[in-house]
Amino acid sequence: MPAALAVLTALLLWPLACAGCEEDSGDVRRLEFWTLALKPHFDDYIEERIAAFEAEHPGVEVEWVDVSFDAVDRKLIASAAANRAPDVINLSDRSFARFASLGAMEDLNGLLPGDPGVRYLSGVLDIGRVGMGDGGPALRALPWYLTTQATLVNAEQLENAGLRPERVARDWAGLRAQARAYHERTGRFLFSVPLGQESELPWMMLADGIVPFEVENGRLVSRLNSPDVRGFIAEWVSLYEDGVLPREAATTGHSHLIELYQSGSLGLIVTGPNFLNRIRDVAPSVFEVTEVRPGITGTLGRQHVAVMVLGVTTQSRDPELAAKLAWFMTGPESQNAFCRLATILPSTSESLDDPFFSPDPTDVDDLGEAKLLTARGLSASALRTAVAFTPALETWPDLRRAFEDGIKRTLLEGRPLDETLAAIDREWSRILASAPPAGWDAVPRPGPAIAVTSSN
């Protein structure tokens, strides 16, 4: 049975199965809360937050279950089929929309004790809006913790090649031009981007204001064959074919950035600042000459942000209480405490007013610690205009897979790009036509944030 059909079969049974659920005995109200890959490092934090929530809600008991990333889809489907889906679940922005669109997630409008539009950063809240509810667009999840990017520059390597770190471009178009000049001058790679495996091109396209969809008869359809989309993708394909990007850009996901940078094979990488600690441990000589610069943006001047969300399943026997737990865990107090334990960022506007997110690197004597503080401050400052450029589409994992398979054929086999895009466009059209209708609300289309000046 195809994966999507298996999900649908299990989820369509939820409301019917839940009608016969056995009620909690006595006055105890129980919630089951699933997270992703937080054990064992954050046991104390999660247990303390649960205890605080239970203290605010006498008679409530929360059972915490931690699940690995690669097992969560399978475990959720199995639990649903057994009428044992959790009340509150943590999902990534890449998989959440599939479950939400299939009816697995409650509409939180009317269940929350406050206004999410005031509490959360606007650029990340919209990823939880999937489908329609009784009163309009449904809110199927709350944003939890975030990851955005910084630019880690091997200052010694760049200066030896005649490129001062402070002159590194702030947008992708400028960085592509610098990469060509850098490669011609040195024969080395300035940077890399996942193009085939775990391709970043789809969200980078949206960050440039190029939308690979249009709406016909009230539903999204593909426009991958349009001139602006083709021109955008052709720029990156040309960069790869001309040897300006390493082969790993076509064959390997994000992991190759860290590995090549640690070995000195890249002049810079654009990645989450959480990887600074790994570089310091694995390649201390590279860490020593690393400078932290702002992340790279598209022409809209907005950074992409990856989002972890919390949602309430439609099998919850106490959805209002479950929504309160999701609200509590994603609140400023909970998020500020979490961010002090992990290299992550908060999704609440109030949190960014905390001095922790605008540190002064000159306050510390240790150079390595100063770099970590710089990364935190730069990443946090970008959040007010950052956007989750992951479309809130049930079909997004399938669309991504079709895109990656096609682009790899062009990069590795030399298939003409026009032929590739036509094939991907047909597959996207098939996928979108077979899914529940989605409109513009599912696609992030923000306006420009700030003018971005390329340094060449």
Side-chain angles (χ1 to χ4, degrees):
M1 178 183 293
L5 182 58
V7 173
L8 181 59
T9 301
L11 299 185
L12 287 178
L13 296 175
W14 284 18
L16 180 62
C18 193
C21 291
E22 181 180 347
E23 296 296 328
D24 288 327
S25 58
D27 296 327
V28 176
R29 300 165 71 188
R30 294 183 174 85
L31 295 176
E32 188 166 307
F33 173 36
W34 287 13
T35 59
L36 287 176
L38 296 184
K39 282 183 173 288
H41 303 294
F42 303 104
D43 288 20
D44 290 346
Y45 166 75
I46 295 294
E47 289 168 358
E48 185 279 328
R49 288 287 80 197
I50 288 174
F53 179 79
E54 291 174 339
E56 288 186 9
H57 300 83
V60 172
E61 293 181 1
V62 178
E63 179 185 358
W64 173 37
V65 177
D66 195 60
V67 185
S68 65
F69 277 97
D70 58 0
V72 65
D73 287 11
R74 182 176 65 254
K75 186 175 176 66
L76 179 56
I77 293 168
S79 297
N83 308 333
R84 293 289 303 168
D87 296 276
V88 179
I89 187 167
N90 168 204
L91 292 168
S92 73
D93 52 10
R94 292 189 177 187
S95 62
F96 150 74
R98 180 186 297 280
F99 289 103
S101 294
L102 291 171
M105 312 302 293
E106 283 279 1
D107 182 0
L108 299 177
N109 289 314
L111 296 177
L112 298 170
D115 184 353
V118 172
R119 188 185 227 198
Y120 302 101
L121 296 164
S122 60
V124 299
L125 179 61
D126 284 349
I127 200 167
R129 300 191 190 279
V130 178
M132 299 297 291
D134 293 338
L139 180 64
R140 308 287 182 184
L142 301 177
W144 194 7
Y145 60 92
L146 314 175
T147 305
T148 190
Q149 297 177 325
T151 305
L152 309 183
V153 175
N154 186 320
E156 182 178 77
Q157 189 177 128
L158 264 59
E159 287 172 352
N160 288 341
L163 178 59
R164 299 201 312 271
E166 64 270 19
R167 297 292 294 171
V168 169
R170 293 287 302 277
D171 67 340
W172 291 107
L175 198 62
R176 286 197 302 267
Q178 289 183 332
R180 284 191 179 278
Y182 186 88
H183 186 69
E184 290 171 2
R185 197 161 54 241
T186 67
R188 299 172 67 92
F189 304 117
L190 178 61
F191 76 104
S192 186
V193 167
L195 301 178
Q197 190 72 20
E198 298 178 3
S199 179
E200 296 187 354
L201 290 181
W203 70 253
M204 292 170 73
M205 193 185 314
L206 290 165
D208 256 8
I210 299 171
V211 182
F213 306 101
E214 57 189 355
V215 172
E216 291 182 358
N217 300 320
R219 67 183 300 150
L220 288 179
V221 297
S222 175
R223 61 179 297 271
L224 272 175
N225 248 341
S226 57
D228 56 344
V229 173
R230 189 203 180 282
F232 173 86
I233 297 175
E235 290 276 0
W236 289 99
V237 170
S238 173
L239 209 67
Y240 177 83
E241 291 177 340
D242 293 345
V244 181
L245 298 178
R247 181 174 175 82
E248 289 87 346
T251 60
T252 313
H254 182 272
S255 62
H256 85 274
L257 305 182
I258 309 299
E259 293 166 1
L260 292 181
Y261 184 77
Q262 288 174 170
S263 69
S265 299
L266 296 177
L268 63 88
I269 55 173
V270 184
T271 187
N274 49 306
F275 287 102
L276 267 173
N277 283 322
R278 174 175 160 180
I279 295 167
R280 178 170 60 178
D281 294 341
V282 174
S285 61
V286 173
F287 180 82
E288 185 176 350
V289 296
T290 292
E291 291 186 9
V292 182
R293 312 293 300 175
I296 310 299
T297 74
T299 57
L300 295 179
R302 297 178 182 273
Q303 286 198 37
H304 170 61
V305 58
V307 187
M308 283 289 179
V309 303
L310 290 184
V312 175
T313 73
T314 51
Q315 230 179 44
S316 173
R317 286 174 291 174
D318 202 335
E320 185 171 357
L321 182 63
K324 288 179 180 177
L325 175 59
W327 181 265
F328 179 86
M329 293 301 299
T330 58
E333 180 181 349
S334 295
Q335 292 211 50
N336 291 1
F338 199 3
C339 291
R340 282 170 166 77
L341 301 175
T343 314
I344 55 176
L345 294 167
S347 60
T348 59
S349 301
E350 180 182 324
S351 293
L352 295 183
D353 295 330
D354 189 314
F356 179 77
F357 298 106
S358 54
D360 184 353
T362 62
D363 286 344
V364 297
D365 295 328
D366 181 78
L367 184 59
E369 183 63 23
K371 292 178 183 180
L372 296 172
L373 293 180
T374 299
R376 184 200 306 156
L378 288 173
S379 299
S381 66
L383 283 183
R384 295 194 187 277
T385 56
V387 170
F389 281 110
T390 302
L393 287 169
E394 167 205 341
T395 54
W396 189 240
D398 298 325
L399 297 174
R400 280 179 54 90
R401 190 175 304 111
F403 182 88
E404 291 171 359
D405 290 346
I407 292 298
K408 276 190 279 191
R409 292 191 64 182
T410 286
L411 297 175
L412 300 176
E413 302 172 15
R415 184 183 188 183
L417 181 58
D418 286 342
E419 183 181 324
T420 291
L421 289 179
I424 302 173
D425 185 72
R426 288 192 297 271
E427 181 63 8
W428 273 31
S429 296
R430 184 195 65 79
I431 292 169
L432 290 167
S434 63
W440 281 130
D441 289 344
V443 182
R445 298 179 300 148
I450 55 173
V452 181
T453 302
S454 298
S455 302
N456 294 303

